[in-house]
Amino acid sequence: SYKEVMLYLNAKDKHIIKAFVSSINGNNKIHERTGTVYFNAKKYISKAVGVSIRSDQMLNDLKLLGITANKTHKVVIPKIKKELQKHFWRGVWDGDGCISYYYSKTKYRQANGNTKIYNNLTLEVGLCGLKNVLKEFCRFLKQNNIKTGKIYKDGTIYSVRCNQTESYKLLNLFYQNSDSTLCLKRKYDKYLEYQKLKY
C-alpha cells in the first residue's frame, strides 16, 4: 500500500519543488534521480528532482479530490473553488502543455507591382493528455471566453491547441494576478519574451 506522496519534476524545474516544500512549511530533503528515457528511438539521460512526503492527512485529502496512485492512467478532475481553478489548470498546463512562438513571412503585392514582405509573430499554446482532461480544460477556457481548436488524437494521447489571439488570452488568464514564483519559470519566461517582441 502507498504510504507517501512523491513529487518529482525535471531537474531544471527545481524551483517548483522548493516552493512546494516551503508552502507546506516542510524541511523535506530534495532528492535527485537520473534515469534513461527513449524518444523517437533515441536514448536520453533524464535528470529529475523531487520530494517524498509521509503524511496520512495529505494522502486522505488527495484521495477526497480523486487523486490516487497511478494517476497517469486515470485522472479525475477535482472540484475546486472557482477562484482557484485558473491556478489548478495552470499547473496542469505547466506539466503537460506547450508554448511556442515563431516568425513567418507573408508576401504582399502592392499596386505598383512591387512585393512587400511582412514578418508575422505567431504564438501557439496547447495541452496534451487524456481526453477527459482536455474536455474539462476546454470547458474551463470556454467559461473564460477563450476558444480552442478541436481535440484530436495525437499518438497514444490527445491534444488541443489555441490560435494566436486565444493563446495570448489564455496566457494572460494564467499569469495576470498570479504569483510568478509558483509558475513554471521556463514557460513564464517565454510568455514575457513574447510580450516584449509583441509590443
Side-chain angles (χ1 to χ4, degrees):
S1 61
Y2 293 84
K3 297 293 184 181
E4 60 185 358
V5 177
M6 292 185 290
L7 177 64
Y8 278 82
L9 297 176
N10 190 298
K12 57 188 169 185
D13 300 321
K14 188 175 182 178
H15 68 99
I16 293 290
I17 300 294
K18 288 182 175 179
F20 173 73
V21 172
S22 176
S23 71
I24 62 172
N25 297 316
N27 59 357
N28 307 73
K29 181 181 178 181
I30 296 177
H31 302 280
E32 297 184 3
R33 286 181 176 177
T34 301
T36 304
V37 295
Y38 292 88
F39 183 73
N40 289 338
K42 291 184 179 180
K43 180 180 177 181
Y44 298 90
I45 301 300
S46 171
K47 294 185 178 181
V49 294
V51 290
S52 298
I53 301 167
R54 291 182 178 273
S55 168
D56 290 337
Q57 181 181 341
M58 187 178 288
L59 283 167
N60 290 333
D61 288 346
L62 289 171
K63 189 175 181 180
L64 288 173
L65 289 170
I67 301 171
T68 57
N70 299 317
K71 69 170 185 60
T72 301
H73 305 291
K74 183 181 179 182
V75 177
V76 176
I77 304 302
K79 292 182 179 179
I80 54 179
K81 295 178 181 179
K82 188 175 182 180
E83 61 267 25
L84 297 177
Q85 289 178 6
K86 82 164 189 173
H87 303 294
F88 169 80
W89 284 111
R90 188 183 67 243
V92 172
W93 178 75
D94 274 346
D96 295 321
C98 62
I99 172 176
S100 63
Y101 61 81
Y102 54 90
Y103 283 99
S104 59
K105 293 183 178 181
T106 301
K107 292 182 180 180
Y108 175 73
R109 187 172 294 279
Q110 299 174 307
N112 61 8
N114 293 332
T115 299
K116 192 168 185 178
I117 298 177
Y118 293 93
N119 284 320
N120 303 306
L121 180 62
T122 301
L123 172 71
E124 190 175 73
V125 171
L127 179 69
C128 63
L130 299 179
K131 195 171 186 178
N132 73 304
V133 174
L134 299 192
K135 283 183 176 180
E136 290 298 324
F137 178 66
C138 292
R139 185 176 291 113
F140 162 75
L141 294 185
K142 187 176 181 181
Q143 291 170 353
N144 287 278
N145 300 310
I146 298 173
K147 299 176 183 177
T148 66
K150 290 184 178 180
I151 296 172
Y152 61 93
K153 194 83 166 63
D154 189 6
T156 59
I157 55 175
Y158 292 84
S159 293
V160 67
R161 296 184 182 274
C162 295
N163 67 19
Q164 170 84 14
T165 303
E166 303 304 307
S167 288
Y168 193 53
K169 285 166 64 178
L170 184 156
L171 294 177
N172 286 333
L173 172 66
F174 279 168
Y175 292 129
Q176 288 179 357
N177 302 315
S178 295
D179 184 349
S180 61
T181 63
L182 300 178
C183 302
L184 197 70
K185 188 176 184 303
R186 53 195 165 94
K187 287 184 177 177
Y188 181 65
D189 285 348
K190 189 161 281 192
Y191 164 70
L192 296 180
E193 289 170 8
Y194 174 79
Q195 281 189 315
K196 288 180 181 178
L197 293 171
K198 181 178 173 65
Y199 299 105

